[in-house]
Structure formats: C-alpha cells, structure tokens
Amino acid sequence: MIELEKTYLAKKLPEDLKNYKSKEIIDVYIPKSSEHPKLRLRKIGDRFELTKKEPINEGDASHQNEQTIILTKTEFNTLNQQLEGKRVHKIRYYYNYNDKTAEFDVFQDNLLWLVVIDFEFSTIEEKDNFQMPDFCLVEITQETFLAGGMICSKTYKDIEDKLEKFGYKKLFLK
C-alpha cells in the first residue's frame, strides 16, 4: 500500500480535542541497534500490527510504501516480550477538519509536551494542494529527527533545541 501523508508540529490544541475519538498507541521500533528502524510493532487501541515503511523516493517521507501484517494480541505480546526495540507511547486523537481527519499524536512519558499532527491523502495532487491549518505551526514531514523510528526512545530534552528552531512551544492536553 502507498501512504501519502503530511506531518506538522502543533501550534495549539483545539479546546474540544478531548471530546474526539482517541486511541492509545504503543510503538516498538526494531531493531534497537538501528539508528532509524523501519520495522514497527504497534498496539493501537485493541488492534495489533507489524508494519514496515520505506520511502518510495529517497528523501521524500510524504510518499511511502507501507506493508502491514495484522497480529493477534498473543502474537503482539510474544513479539513485544522477545524483541528488543525502541519504544514510544502516545494518544492519538482523530479530529475532524474540512472533510479530513487530523490525527493529533499527543506524546506521553519522556516526550510529554510534544504534539504532532498527521493528515493522510488519497492522491498526490490532494497532498500537494493541501493548505496547512491554523492549529499547525510548521510542516515537518521531511524532518528526520521527528520520524517515528528516530524519535522513539528519545526524551523531550533530547529534541528541545531542534524544536525551538521552529518556534515550537510545549503543549499539554488538560
């Protein structure tokens, strides 16, 4: 499957965000020894999967080949216990915006205060013509340091200097 996506740093959180559907996500990126693992073990709500993502064109993270295998809870738990990986924990809120779904990823634990927003698209034209919403600060789709496989096992302090270059201010969902 081809994934077309844009990712943004959040500038502000909608006041009613907590009223929207959400799911807890636990990602484990493997292998742990890789600087930027491409293989992800994921628990998203009560769904479990193993996914590999690779850019179609080198250097363009907005256009990726994504291969996913659906797992049972037992398979997930077995792999999670046996594999050493880099972990990240977040709550994803599905927010309606102009006939699109804005996926607000509100990071937890060591990355508390970080919020990124993803939009997925059906066509390249739709992706290319999309206008950044006012609750977004800046597009970060091509920023490697914020890619899932890179941010896992980091702390907010590890990335704070890079975030400040974008003018990012810590956000917290009350």
Side-chain angles (χ1 to χ4, degrees), residues 156-172:
Y156 188 89
K157 188 166 178 56
D158 293 337
I159 62 171
E160 191 168 19
D161 289 348
K162 291 180 180 178
L163 291 171
E164 285 176 357
K165 289 179 183 175
F166 291 109
Y168 183 78
K169 305 288 185 215
K170 292 179 179 178
L171 294 174
F172 188 76

Side-chain angles (χ1 to χ4, degrees), residues 116-134:
V116 300
I117 306 162
D118 285 331
F119 286 91
E120 294 188 6
F121 304 96
S122 302
T123 67
I124 292 172
E125 295 77 26
E126 182 186 20
K127 176 184 69 76
D128 291 345
N129 293 323
F130 185 74
Q131 297 297 309
M132 182 177 79
D134 66 346

